[in-house]
């Protein structure tokens, strides 16, 4: 499951993906809040909407998300069948993208939660999203990509496959720091900002690394939303709206770089 938001300014696009991992329910909830804000309160965002378009894909891992509602609340992966002798199903769609696929931070064990799949883009969830972006390159200049996950309260830059920094890391870090400060100003929620492999763990074949390495996006971030482990994936419903409000506030800082 996932949600992507894209901002466009004169064919510059901002793309957000939410909840590629099925159990991370706060991500699609936050996506729904953002959609509602833009649709029902558009006058509040005239300064953005006059120069930006938003592309929002609320759910990618649909089968996995449904499975968390019907069978296993903690399910993470897709629901595909790759002939595991133990009956294990699914692929971690966020290890299935082709950029540095199959490297550190992914598994070839079909029963593992970070199973990368038999090959890059074996999962339609990853393949279709990649194809949409690639096939529209002639008319769209992709510019910003944000993917939402939970949990840990992190605002992360590429890369996940290595601790090496991108050439423009200082710029990404500066903007991420500004966004994290704005996020914190609402409810005091503190985020750590930095390279994904350094402040979380290694993760190769992610959509984030692909977006930066091959997708053509400049500003690329992964946000790990609330909390830091007290509730984990089972975030209380009372925290849904505050999480959405603060996250949207932080994302707007990134969006406003286009209108300065």
């Amino acid at each position: 499951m996932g949600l992507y938001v894209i901002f466009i300014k004169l064919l510059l696009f901002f793309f957000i993906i939410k909840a590629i991992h099925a159990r991370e329910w706060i991500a699609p909830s936050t996506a729904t809040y953002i959609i509602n804000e833009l649709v029902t309160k558009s006058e509040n965002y005239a300064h953005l909407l006059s120069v930006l378009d938003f592309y929002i894909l609320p759910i990618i891992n649909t089968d996995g998300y449904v499975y968390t509602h019907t069978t296993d609340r903690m399910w993470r992966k897709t629901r595909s069948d790759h002939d595991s002798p133990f009956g294990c199903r699914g692929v971690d769609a966020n290890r299935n993208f082709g950029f540095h696929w199959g490297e550190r931070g992914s598994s070839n064990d079909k029963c593992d939660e970070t199973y990368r799949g038999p090959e890059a883009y074996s999962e339609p969830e990853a393949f279709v999203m990649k194809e949409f972006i690639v096939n529209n390159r002639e008319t769209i200049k992709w510019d910003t990509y944000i993917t939402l996950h939970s949990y840990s309260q992190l605002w992360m830059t590429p890369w996940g496959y290595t601790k090496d920094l991108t050439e423009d890391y200082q710029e990404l870090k500066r903007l991420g720091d500004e966004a994290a400060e704005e996020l914190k100003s609402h409810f005091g929620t503190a985020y750590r900002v930095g390279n994904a492999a350094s402040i979380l763990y290694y993760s190769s074949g992610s959509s984030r690394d692909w977006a930066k390495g091959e997708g053509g996006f400049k500003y690329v971030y992964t946000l790990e939303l609330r909390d830091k482990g007290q509730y984990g994936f089972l975030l209380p419903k009372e925290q849904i709206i505050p999480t959405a409000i603060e996250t949207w506030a932080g994302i707007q800082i990134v969006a406003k770089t286009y209108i300065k």
Side-chain angles (χ1 to χ4, degrees):
M1 167 169 185
L3 177 142
Y4 300 73
V5 177
I6 302 169
F7 301 139
I8 310 166
K9 177 186 179 182
L10 300 177
L11 299 182
L12 295 182
F13 290 70
F14 187 112
F15 195 76
I16 299 178
I17 165 178
K18 309 273 178 95
I20 198 168
H21 293 142
R23 64 193 178 193
E24 298 170 9
W25 286 8
I26 188 57
S29 299
T30 301
T32 303
Y33 175 87
I34 293 172
I35 294 170
N36 184 69
E37 286 290 297
L38 292 171
V39 171
T40 66
K41 303 176 183 178
S42 58
E43 66 280 2
N44 294 344
Y45 306 104
H47 59 298
L48 297 179
L49 295 173
S50 63
V51 293
L52 305 174
D53 283 348
F54 292 76
Y55 280 63
I56 300 177
L57 179 58
I59 297 178
I60 291 179
N61 183 9
T62 309
D63 293 340
Y65 183 63
V66 170
Y67 194 71
T68 64
H69 284 268
T70 63
T71 307
D72 182 354
R73 174 64 181 84
M74 289 294 104
W75 188 258
R76 170 184 170 97
K77 301 186 288 183
T78 66
R79 291 293 300 157
S80 56
D81 186 352
H82 292 289
D83 299 318
S84 164
F86 303 104
C88 299
R89 296 178 66 103
V91 167
D92 183 342
N94 206 37
R95 302 293 186 277
N96 195 236
F97 285 75
F99 185 74
H100 288 272
W101 176 84
E103 298 181 13
R104 192 170 183 176
S106 67
S107 174
N108 63 1
D109 181 349
K110 295 178 181 179
C111 295
D112 196 277
E113 286 199 330
T114 61
Y115 174 50
R116 58 186 173 242
E119 60 184 355
Y121 306 116
S122 63
E123 305 309 286
E125 293 85 354
F127 177 76
V128 170
M129 195 193 79
K130 183 265 294 185
E131 287 293 288
F132 173 78
I133 292 171
V134 170
N135 291 340
N136 285 282
R137 278 176 173 166
E138 292 187 3
T139 56
I140 298 173
K141 184 182 183 302
W142 302 111
D143 200 64
T144 301
Y145 180 99
I146 295 178
T147 174
L148 302 189
H149 292 258
S150 72
Y151 55 90
S152 287
Q153 294 173 203
L154 302 173
W155 193 291
M156 300 185 294
T157 71
W159 309 102
Y161 77 92
T162 177
K163 291 185 178 180
D164 292 343
L165 304 178
T166 62
E167 291 182 358
D168 59 351
Y169 173 76
Q170 293 303 324
E171 182 179 2
L172 295 177
K173 176 68 161 56
R174 174 193 56 76
L175 185 57
D177 285 337
E178 291 179 11
E181 280 300 310
E182 174 62 27
L183 185 157
K184 183 179 179 180
S185 71
H186 290 263
F187 303 102
T189 309
Y191 272 55
R192 185 180 179 189
V193 182
N195 164 273
S198 298
I199 67 173
L200 185 59
Y201 46 60
Y202 287 100
S203 54
S204 61
S206 70
S207 70
R208 174 199 58 244
D209 284 5
W210 176 85
K212 184 65 172 176
E214 294 183 352
F217 293 87
K218 175 175 176 53
Y219 296 107
V220 177
Y221 298 104
T222 294
L223 278 58
E224 293 282 352
L225 307 182
R226 294 191 190 187
D227 57 6
K228 288 188 174 182
Q230 180 179 3
Y231 298 104
F233 301 117
L234 305 178
L235 200 66
K237 63 182 181 181
E238 294 79 13
Q239 294 195 37
I240 294 174
I241 295 300
T243 300
I245 289 172
E246 67 193 13
T247 303
W248 175 222
I251 289 173
Q252 286 181 74
I253 295 298
V254 181
K256 289 175 182 176
T257 61
Y258 300 105
I259 59 177
K260 289 181 178 179

